[in-house]
Amino acid sequence: QLPTGLYKKVLVILHDSVLPYMNEPTLMMDFLTVAYGIGGAISLLALNGLFILIHQHNLEYPDFYKKLYSLLDPSIYHVKYRARFFHLTDLFLSSSHLPAYLVAAFIKRLSRLALTAPPEALLMIIPFICNLFRRHPACRVLVHRPGGPADMSEDPYVMEEEEPSKSRALESSLWEIQSLQNHYHPDVAKAAAVLNQFLSEMEDDISGLLELSAYELFDKEVKKKAVDVPLEFEQVRGLFGKKNDIFAEHFSLD
Amino acid sequence: SNPFEVKVNRQKFDILGRKTKNDVGLPGVSRSKAIKKRNQTLLKEYKEREKTNVFKDKRFGEYNTKITPEEKMIRRFALERQQNYGKKNICNLNEDEELTHYGQSLAEIEKLNDIVDSDSDTEERGTLSAELTAAHFGGGGGLLRKKVSSEQQDEEEEKPKSRKELIEEMIAKSKQEKQERQTRRESALELTEKLDKDWKEIQTLIAHKTPKSERKDKEVEKPKPDEYDMIVRELGFEMKAKPSERLKTEEELAKEEQARLQKLEADRLRRMRGIDEEANKKRPSHMSADDLADGFILDKDDRRLLSYKDGKMNIENEEEKEEDEGEEEEEEEGEEEDNEDEEESQEESASENEEDDAADSHSDLESDIESEEEAAGNKEEKKHKANENESQNVEKSDRKREAAKSELPYTFTVPESYETFKSLLAGRTIEEQLIILERIQKCNHPSLAVGNKAKLEKLFGFLLEYVGELATLDLPELRTIDKLVLPLYNLCQMFPEAASDSIKFILRDAAHDLEEVIEVKGRATYPGLDTLIYLKIVSLLFPTSDFWHPVVTPAFMYMSQLLTKCRITTLQDVIKGLFICCLFLEYVSLSRRFVPELINFLLGVLHISLPKQQAQGYTVVHPFTPVGKNLELLLVCDKEDLKSWEKQNVPLSIVTRLKEASRTEINHTRLSCLALCFDLIKKCAALYESLPSFHEIMHPIRILLTQHVPVNEYPEKMQEWYHSALKELENKVKHYTPLICEKKKPVPLKQYTPKIVKVLEFGRKQAGSKKEQERKQLIQRHKRELKGAIREIRKDNQYLARMQLSEIMERDSARKRKVKELLGSLATQEGEWKAMKRNKWKN
């Protein structure tokens, strides 16, 4: 049992500067499994080492996807290791042999969590979800259900359910992405609107989007050249002088 | 030329409008030219192929660029002299170098000069010229030099003149003539001057006596303008009465205003949806079978198809008309402003006149000074000085001076730097500052002078900076800022581009600072009040509902960063955060866009208002943490404070002076923040109710409100806020409809009509972009050059081979000839020998 800071440091470098040089990488199995079970950022980091063990050293990990599924919580969009985590998740979900219910559950959960995500994460996750749809056409019912019931009073998807198979994700629809079509960031809104149409065959390349930072986004927006600048036509009457100004209700200029 | 020497290049097709330059060739001429050229170049090279002699230019400094040509010449000359020095003929004692200047002998020139000098001297003394004396007195003048010249003359008369002498004489004569002419002119000038002077003396005498009569005389001289003429002129120049527009009634004005607003609103909505105008107007276009589907579209035809809809002309035209009208309106407004300017300037001049009258005798002087003052811009101080001059009527002007002192100057120049701008506004009241700004704008209206636009654009930047500085003071002067927003708005309306640029610049700086702090420290803190004010100003100047806006979108990004990256450690941070939440809500109030950061932040704020506990059923996200430091920032336990709390507006200045506040005050502020949070939740709920996943978005907040918030402990007012927020959350029906993808538009079939491409210029390939065309051109040129070069080389080789062959032939023929000669001589020898032999035999 290591202190958290050290744990993180070890796990960050484990996969590329420790594991390749070990004679018996499988010895790390127990360490990584324990770390994976801790939860939070440490689990995310342990994922990388674990992946190498599974991929190259025939490690059998029971309920791997269930565990991965339970790792998804609102903080994944805000943590520092976001790029690494989604890179791996993309790898794990790239197999076309995964059952549709599992992928649907992932899609649904990711998009539910996306309701609290900052724009840079949204710009990454929406193409990510689109890619999942492309790989697993069976999940397309989430965005296209022509013969479904006209009206539902509840989202069939159960967020709290730990087991992906019982989350009833396939009966649901992707209302979250539809909500995101109203996002304030124009690029996010545009990206979300893609799911309104039938998707193209080509997968999007998300490798460039993984590392996107908020500052980069800001910079990109600032550097855009505008042809003309629309102006407010309502005459100002002071700092808080607009109609129904929220500030006038709660702040004073003293 | 000879038709047999002409080669005609036959053309397959005659193309109208194409000029051909290569239809006729002259092979013989061009070949002979080529051979000639080769004779001069290639043949020379060939003949000198085994020679290693090199021509060396050893002239002094020929290739030295550092020496000026004159210096070079001097040095060369010196070298030459040095070389000659040793070789000088010893016997030749008489050798004298003739010095020259511009090829003329210096001695000669000196002689001539002497003559001229003497002439001018004589003239100055008022004596007669040399020639004259020579003519009249037989050349007996006392001066030695003249004697010499006269002697020469005599000699000349005697001898037949040589050519050189003739020329010299001519030169001398012409020079003399020139001199004479000059003297004559000078004397004439002197005389006229003298005459003038005399006349003036006399004139003054006359003028003193009868100045008026003279003036009258002058008037009489000018014929009085005829009355008829005057009237005709007047009528001609008189402003023609133009048909003015009827004054509009109030109703009409209101209607117009309404129409304008409606149009602007429609425009705003269109931008909000992010629909391009082009996309709107796009119609299923004609697809050709030849179409490569490469997106290449012809430029639109300018002509509009005449089409009718319900008996009306097509709408596009009408729209355009409307736009035109809008422009006209704008122009009219501009004119009005101009008129105002003029009026003001008139007022100005009037007031100045009054002042001038006050100082009667010094009116000229003062007006001069005043004009200077206007240029300087700070009128008052100098006016003080000016007033010192008029000491005799101090009493009179005293009152006026007082009035003028308190009064603001009417004209301002636009300050060039921020410092001068600040000094201009320093010490003024808000109203005065506003007036100053207004006057600056009016005096420097872009229609008045060329550079004014740039100046006023700068002014916007200064004003922004000033606002920022006011906001960063210890006691922020928000009231002033409140008023300064108006000139900001006006300037922004005048120069949208410059305004957006300067605001973007500020935003970029702020975001850059934030990013730096995050990189260095790993966490960020909230910026000062000035940045918040800037963000608020953005919402006043620009429409925040646009789908994309050059200023508003970056502002959105920046605020999102603030809400997600900045740590919340103090109550000030909470207040600032809530301020940004308000900004977000205001920004999206019309467009109803979804802002996840806003919900997250409100949830976090609620979270820190609760006592420490394990969060259940909801998770807070960055920057809030479920456990750890900085919790309970908004928690109020004091019963007294809870009771005595009254909802009041949070003063913005609190962010700088919270430390001085008492405990109770702080607690009250906390409660106010909580109330604000409840209200924001309510507003969010109202705003986002149309979102399909509204309940999922609000789920954590609802759980927190219903399960964790200790409602009963709150004062009544707070409970009201709470309940209204909760009500807004609860009474939304859950309503889900399964998603269905939009139907794809059918791809139109390809038709077999030819693709028609407009030919803009004949003989030039059209397809491809400009870059592509350039590339193709370059490739083609390269190919042509290469071919030409190969051809030239081949011809060179042929020429050389020919030369070599002719050489060999020559050599061979020479050898043959020699052999023949030898053989011949041998044969004759043999013959002779045989003959001799025969003779012997005979003998």
Side-chain angles (χ1 to χ4, degrees):
Chain A
Q1 188 69 31
L2 300 165
T4 325
L6 190 60
Y7 233 131
K8 280 185 184 170
K9 271 182 196 161
V10 169
L11 288 172
V12 164
I13 56 162
L14 192 68
H15 68 283
D16 62 347
S17 39
V18 179
L19 279 180
Y21 304 105
M22 284 177 76
N23 290 330
E24 287 267 337
T26 37
L27 288 177
M28 297 302 293
M29 204 162 57
D30 288 333
F31 172 73
L32 284 172
T33 351
V34 170
Y36 192 44
I38 285 176
I42 294 175
S43 296
L44 297 187
L45 289 173
L47 206 56
N48 213 335
L50 214 52
F51 168 68
I52 291 177
L53 291 187
I54 294 171
H55 181 59
Q56 293 166 4
H57 303 284
N58 285 328
L59 177 71
E60 170 81 28
Y61 195 94
D63 291 338
F64 177 78
Y65 282 101
K66 190 185 155 192
K67 188 79 189 131
L68 186 65
Y69 183 69
S70 67
L71 271 184
L72 302 178
D73 70 349
S75 64
I76 52 165
Y77 291 119
H78 296 268
V79 289
K80 246 192 290 178
Y81 312 110
R82 191 184 67 210
R84 182 199 283 247
F85 176 73
F86 278 101
H87 172 68
L88 288 173
T89 317
D90 194 32
L91 270 181
F92 295 140
L93 294 177
S94 58
S95 162
S96 55
H97 295 292
L98 293 176
Y101 75 86
L102 185 76
V103 179
F106 266 98
I107 289 175
K108 192 65 189 167
R109 197 175 178 101
L110 283 172
S111 48
R112 179 66 64 83
L113 297 176
L115 289 176
T116 63
E120 62 270 20
L122 286 173
L123 282 180
M124 181 266 302
I125 197 64
I126 293 172
F128 185 93
I129 289 171
C130 290
N131 279 354
L132 288 184
F133 277 121
R134 290 186 180 110
R135 287 172 204 156
H136 306 277
C139 294
R140 290 203 178 158
V141 285
L142 281 182
V143 285
H144 184 58
R145 196 190 299 278
D151 219 353
M152 283 186 272
S153 64
E154 195 74 38
D155 191 349
Y157 173 71
V158 189
M159 181 75 173
E160 288 76 24
E161 182 58 55
E162 292 281 301
E163 183 65 49
S165 56
K166 289 178 189 163
S167 64
R168 299 172 66 203
L170 274 177
E171 297 166 37
S172 174
S173 274
L174 220 52
W175 291 291
E176 290 83 0
I177 300 295
Q178 202 187 14
S179 303
L180 287 177
Q181 285 167 13
N182 270 326
H183 196 271
Y184 67 89
H185 194 282
D187 292 347
V188 173
K190 266 185 216 159
V194 167
L195 280 172
N196 275 352
Q197 266 107 36
F198 288 94
L199 289 168
S200 59
E201 289 300 312
M202 281 288 286
E203 283 197 13
D204 295 326
D205 181 28
I206 62 161
S207 56
L209 298 172
L210 285 172
E211 301 271 0
L212 211 61
S213 79
Y215 183 66
E216 280 168 42
L217 274 188
F218 175 84
D219 220 35
K220 207 180 105 197
E221 287 301 329
V222 164
K223 276 176 187 159
K224 268 187 194 168
K225 286 270 179 287
V227 185
D228 65 333
V229 184
L231 291 171
E232 179 65 55
F233 54 85
E234 200 181 311
Q235 177 74 36
V236 292
R237 283 187 297 276
L239 206 51
F240 296 163
K242 270 193 172 180
K243 264 183 252 162
N244 311 323
D245 202 304
I246 310 164
F247 295 91
E249 289 177 39
H250 296 286
F251 292 100
S252 66
L253 286 170
D254 295 314
Chain B
S1 59
N2 188 353
F4 290 102
E5 282 175 0
V6 168
K7 179 179 176 269
V8 179
N9 294 324
R10 198 177 63 86
Q11 280 201 310
K12 275 190 180 172
F13 310 106
D14 276 337
I15 298 172
L16 268 180
R18 178 185 283 183
K19 275 179 194 166
T20 50
K21 33 181 180 173
N22 301 323
D23 51 353
V24 177
L26 299 168
V29 173
S30 59
R31 193 174 299 142
S32 75
K33 254 189 209 164
I35 287 171
K36 212 187 212 171
K37 207 175 177 189
R38 288 204 170 80
N39 276 338
Q40 280 164 356
T41 55
L42 195 63
L43 189 65
K44 255 185 192 163
E45 239 175 80
Y46 176 71
K47 276 181 177 165
E48 290 172 1
R49 68 191 181 280
E50 272 146 15
K51 288 181 179 154
T52 50
N53 293 345
V54 183
F55 177 78
K56 256 190 193 172
D57 191 355
K58 283 180 121 181
R59 283 176 293 174
F60 176 82
E62 184 60 24
Y63 301 107
N64 195 348
T65 48
K66 282 172 193 168
I67 308 173
T68 57
E70 287 93 48
E71 200 184 344
K72 205 185 330 187
M73 287 314 183
I74 291 166
R75 296 279 289 276
R76 271 187 198 166
F77 183 67
L79 273 176
E80 199 184 353
R81 289 292 296 272
Q82 269 176 0
Q83 274 175 347
N84 286 341
Y85 183 72
K87 290 171 195 167
K88 204 177 172 185
N89 198 349
I90 313 163
C91 306
N92 193 357
L93 294 173
N94 217 7
E95 192 187 69
D96 230 336
E97 296 251 355
E98 202 184 23
L99 296 176
T100 58
H101 178 66
Y102 286 120
Q104 278 182 318
S105 166
L106 272 180
E108 292 293 319
I109 291 169
E110 264 171 25
K111 260 185 214 166
L112 289 174
N113 277 351
D114 277 350
I115 291 165
V116 171
D117 277 343
S118 68
D119 278 0
S120 60
D121 283 350
T122 52
E123 269 156 32
E124 272 165 30
R125 283 180 217 132
T127 52
L128 295 167
S129 71
E131 242 178 341
L132 221 68
T133 46
H136 284 253
F137 307 111
L143 289 165
L144 190 74
R145 277 178 219 145
K146 269 171 202 157
K147 208 178 174 183
V148 172
S149 66
S150 62
E151 268 175 41
Q152 271 178 352
Q153 265 183 342
D154 292 347
E155 277 172 41
E156 276 158 19
E157 276 165 22
E158 285 162 16
K159 285 181 197 170
K161 287 167 193 168
S162 72
R163 190 183 148 75
K164 202 182 168 189
E165 280 168 338
L166 255 174
I167 290 170
E168 270 172 20
E169 197 188 356
M170 259 166 65
I171 291 170
K173 261 191 180 169
S174 69
K175 287 213 168 184
Q176 261 176 342
E177 261 170 38
K178 209 174 160 188
Q179 203 70 34
E180 264 171 44
R181 251 180 284 143
Q182 209 179 330
T183 49
R184 234 176 283 146
R185 209 169 47 226
E186 268 174 19
S187 60
L189 249 167
E190 227 169 78
L191 273 175
T192 41
E193 259 177 38
K194 204 187 165 195
L195 195 68
D196 275 356
K197 222 163 72 186
D198 289 351
W199 165 242
K200 258 182 197 167
E201 275 171 26
I202 299 162
Q203 200 191 19
T204 45
L205 289 174
I206 299 165
H208 264 291
K209 276 181 181 173
T210 57
K212 274 193 181 169
S213 65
E214 201 188 25
R215 244 183 252 166
K216 252 184 191 172
D217 287 350
K218 271 184 186 172
E219 272 173 21
V220 169
E221 272 171 39
K222 259 190 208 169
K224 247 190 180 178
D226 195 6
E227 211 165 292
Y228 171 76
D229 276 352
M230 264 166 70
I231 290 169
V232 167
R233 284 279 162 83
E234 263 176 30
L235 283 176
F237 285 120
E238 197 176 45
M239 281 275 281
K240 290 234 173 68
K242 281 174 193 161
S244 67
E245 269 185 37
R246 182 172 58 91
L247 277 180
K248 281 165 185 162
T249 61
E250 297 248 313
E251 261 177 55
E252 279 174 327
L253 280 175
K255 223 182 236 174
E256 237 170 51
E257 179 65 15
Q258 200 188 359
R260 192 181 68 92
L261 284 178
Q262 268 175 0
K263 192 185 157 271
L264 286 169
E265 179 66 17
D267 222 30
R268 188 190 67 74
L269 281 174
R270 181 181 55 69
R271 289 197 311 261
M272 184 171 103
R273 290 191 211 104
I275 309 165
D276 291 335
E277 259 174 295
E278 283 87 339
N280 238 348
K281 284 176 185 169
K282 210 165 147 189
R283 302 203 180 89
S285 56
H286 167 78
M287 284 276 273
S288 159
D290 292 348
D291 196 345
L292 301 171
D294 55 357
F296 179 78
I297 303 166
L298 271 174
D299 284 347
K300 264 193 184 164
D301 203 343
D302 285 341
R303 290 167 295 176
R304 189 170 289 113
L305 287 173
L306 189 65
S307 58
Y308 289 89
K309 229 184 217 176
D310 308 334
K312 278 189 212 162
M313 277 271 262
N314 208 344
I315 304 167
E316 274 178 49
N317 293 338
E318 288 177 3
E319 276 177 9
E320 274 191 6
K321 264 187 203 165
E322 273 177 21
E323 279 175 16
D324 286 351
E325 277 171 12
E327 281 173 12
E328 278 171 14
E329 272 178 20
E330 280 175 13
E331 277 171 26
E332 278 172 18
E333 280 174 15
E335 280 173 10
E336 277 171 21
E337 280 178 13
D338 285 358
N339 290 341
E340 279 173 17
D341 282 355
E342 280 169 24
E343 278 169 23
E344 200 179 80
S345 61
Q346 280 172 7
E347 281 172 18
E348 236 171 76
S349 57
S351 65
E352 271 175 17
N353 285 341
E354 279 172 17
E355 283 169 13
D356 288 350
D357 290 346
D360 210 352
S361 59
H362 292 265
S363 59
D364 285 356
L365 198 134
E366 202 187 49
S367 68
D368 278 353
I369 290 169
E370 266 184 10
S371 63
E372 273 172 37
E373 278 162 15
E374 277 171 20
N378 46 2
K379 202 168 171 182
E380 277 167 58
E381 292 171 32
K382 283 199 178 175
K383 177 167 276 174
H384 210 70
K385 282 181 199 165
N387 284 343
E388 279 175 353
N389 292 339
E390 28 181 283
S391 52
Q392 62 244 56
N393 44 8
V394 177
E395 281 177 39
K396 246 188 182 179
S397 65
D398 216 18
R399 267 182 300 120
K400 302 233 169 189
R401 200 174 62 195
E402 285 298 313
K405 219 178 181 184
S406 62
E407 205 177 315
L408 286 169
Y410 284 93
T411 52
F412 289 94
T413 49
V414 181
E416 287 296 318
S417 72
Y418 178 59
E419 276 70 34
T420 47
F421 175 74
K422 233 172 77 181
S423 61
L424 198 65
L425 293 187
R428 304 276 189 198
T429 62
I430 302 174
E431 286 73 27
E432 281 177 338
Q433 289 185 8
L434 283 181
I435 291 170
I436 290 174
L437 286 171
E438 196 187 348
R439 285 188 182 160
I440 289 180
Q441 270 181 58
K442 284 202 173 149
C443 295
N444 299 285
H445 196 268
S447 59
L448 295 178
V450 183
N452 280 350
K453 188 168 178 255
K455 283 183 192 166
L456 285 183
E457 283 172 356
K458 259 191 198 167
L459 184 70
F460 183 85
F462 296 150
L463 204 53
L464 265 189
E465 212 177 324
Y466 186 61
V467 165
E469 202 176 288
L470 287 181
T472 42
L473 293 175
D474 277 341
L475 260 177
E477 290 184 35
L478 295 169
R479 296 272 168 210
T480 317
I481 296 175
D482 190 35
K483 292 283 181 294
L484 285 179
V485 169
L486 276 168
L488 268 179
Y489 178 82
N490 291 336
L491 279 173
C492 182
Q493 294 285 325
M494 283 164 94
F495 315 107
E497 275 82 22
S500 77
D501 279 348
S502 46
I503 290 188
K504 260 156 84 175
F505 186 74
I506 285 173
L507 281 177
R508 197 167 59 206
D509 267 8
H512 189 74
D513 288 349
L514 188 74
E515 179 68 14
E516 254 181 11
V517 171
I518 290 174
E519 260 176 30
V520 173
K521 288 189 190 162
R523 66 191 63 172
T525 48
Y526 276 93
L529 191 58
D530 52 338
T531 314
L532 302 185
I533 296 290
Y534 283 140
L535 288 171
K536 175 69 190 158
I537 286 174
V538 167
S539 79
L540 294 175
L541 299 184
F542 301 105
T544 52
S545 58
D546 288 11
F547 184 71
W548 181 82
H549 189 281
V551 179
V552 178
T553 308
F556 261 123
M557 302 295 306
Y558 179 57
M559 295 198 300
S560 147
Q561 281 191 62
L562 288 182
L563 282 193
T564 50
K565 298 265 169 69
C566 294
R567 280 293 176 95
I568 306 254
T569 50
T570 57
L571 186 55
Q572 285 102 308
D573 292 343
V574 178
I575 295 171
K576 282 176 183 170
L578 284 172
F579 188 90
I580 293 171
C581 285
C582 287
L583 276 173
F584 254 130
L585 259 183
E586 194 194 349
Y587 274 40
V588 298
S589 59
L590 283 171
S591 56
R592 301 177 156 242
R593 296 193 203 290
F594 174 45
V595 186
E597 291 87 346
L598 176 60
I599 308 292
N600 291 346
F601 194 85
L602 292 178
L603 182 72
V605 169
L606 280 186
H607 179 70
I608 57 171
S609 77
L610 301 178
K612 269 185 194 171
Q613 57 167 1
Q614 203 60 41
Q616 281 172 338
Y618 66 93
T619 39
V620 289
V621 293
H622 204 76
F624 300 95
T625 46
V627 287
K629 294 185 290 181
N630 302 325
L631 288 178
E632 302 185 345
L633 267 176
L634 285 184
L635 182 66
V636 179
C637 297
D638 201 335
K639 299 268 177 195
E640 287 290 308
D641 292 343
L642 277 175
K643 260 185 201 166
S644 62
W645 176 73
E646 289 250 336
K647 164 73 180 144
Q648 66 208 133
N649 290 356
V650 184
L652 277 181
S653 53
I654 206 167
V655 295
T656 54
R657 58 168 179 84
L658 194 64
K659 279 168 201 152
E660 307 146 21
S662 67
R663 234 184 106 74
T664 322
E665 213 174 314
I666 289 180
N667 275 341
H668 284 172
T669 313
R670 281 177 178 160
L671 287 172
S672 295
C673 283
L674 197 58
L676 167 59
C677 181
F678 282 136
D679 189 43
L680 288 182
I681 288 172
K682 188 181 131 196
K683 290 207 161 80
C684 280
L687 204 61
Y688 293 145
E689 64 177 320
S690 60
L691 288 183
S693 48
F694 170 76
H695 292 279
E696 283 76 28
I697 292 165
M698 290 300 178
H699 181 68
I701 288 184
R702 200 168 54 233
I703 284 182
L704 209 151
L705 282 182
T706 50
Q707 297 177 10
H708 299 284
V709 172
V711 198
N712 299 327
E713 291 171 22
Y714 287 150
E716 270 183 37
K717 281 275 173 58
M718 187 64 93
Q719 288 191 16
E720 271 175 34
W721 288 105
Y722 167 80
H723 283 299
S724 64
L726 196 60
K727 211 174 118 196
E728 194 74 28
L729 278 183
E730 300 266 284
N731 65 2
K732 297 281 184 295
V733 279
K734 294 191 173 182
H735 181 76
Y736 296 91
T737 38
L739 296 180
I740 291 175
C741 284
E742 285 168 15
K743 269 184 189 153
K744 256 190 208 167
K745 275 181 196 161
V747 182
L749 283 176
K750 289 199 167 183
Q751 293 165 344
Y752 289 95
T753 44
K755 184 183 179 183
I756 295 166
V757 180
K758 220 190 232 169
V759 178
L760 298 172
E761 206 174 328
F762 284 100
R764 191 173 278 185
K765 286 181 181 101
Q766 294 289 324
S769 65
K770 200 177 174 188
K771 215 174 172 187
E772 185 68 18
Q773 273 181 18
E774 226 165 62
R775 213 181 124 255
K776 272 182 185 165
Q777 244 175 24
L778 273 181
I779 288 175
Q780 201 192 0
R781 204 177 297 162
H782 171 252
K783 214 189 213 169
R784 206 168 49 211
E785 290 297 316
L786 188 73
K787 270 186 183 169
I790 289 174
R791 196 166 50 228
E792 284 302 302
I793 289 172
R794 201 174 284 152
K795 279 184 180 167
D796 277 356
N797 282 339
Q798 282 170 356
Y799 175 82
L800 273 183
R802 224 165 28 236
M803 281 298 126
Q804 279 167 345
L805 184 68
S806 68
E807 243 174 48
I808 290 170
M809 298 263 274
E810 217 169 275
R811 226 184 302 146
D812 282 2
S813 61
R815 187 167 150 273
K816 259 182 197 165
R817 203 189 64 238
K818 276 181 186 166
V819 168
K820 235 182 209 169
E821 258 173 35
L822 282 177
L823 282 179
S825 69
L826 280 178
T828 44
Q829 215 177 340
E830 185 80 6
E832 276 171 12
W833 183 69
K834 276 189 174 165
M836 265 169 55
K837 219 178 169 183
R838 221 177 289 141
N839 281 344
K840 255 186 198 170
W841 281 102
K842 276 183 185 169
N843 294 334

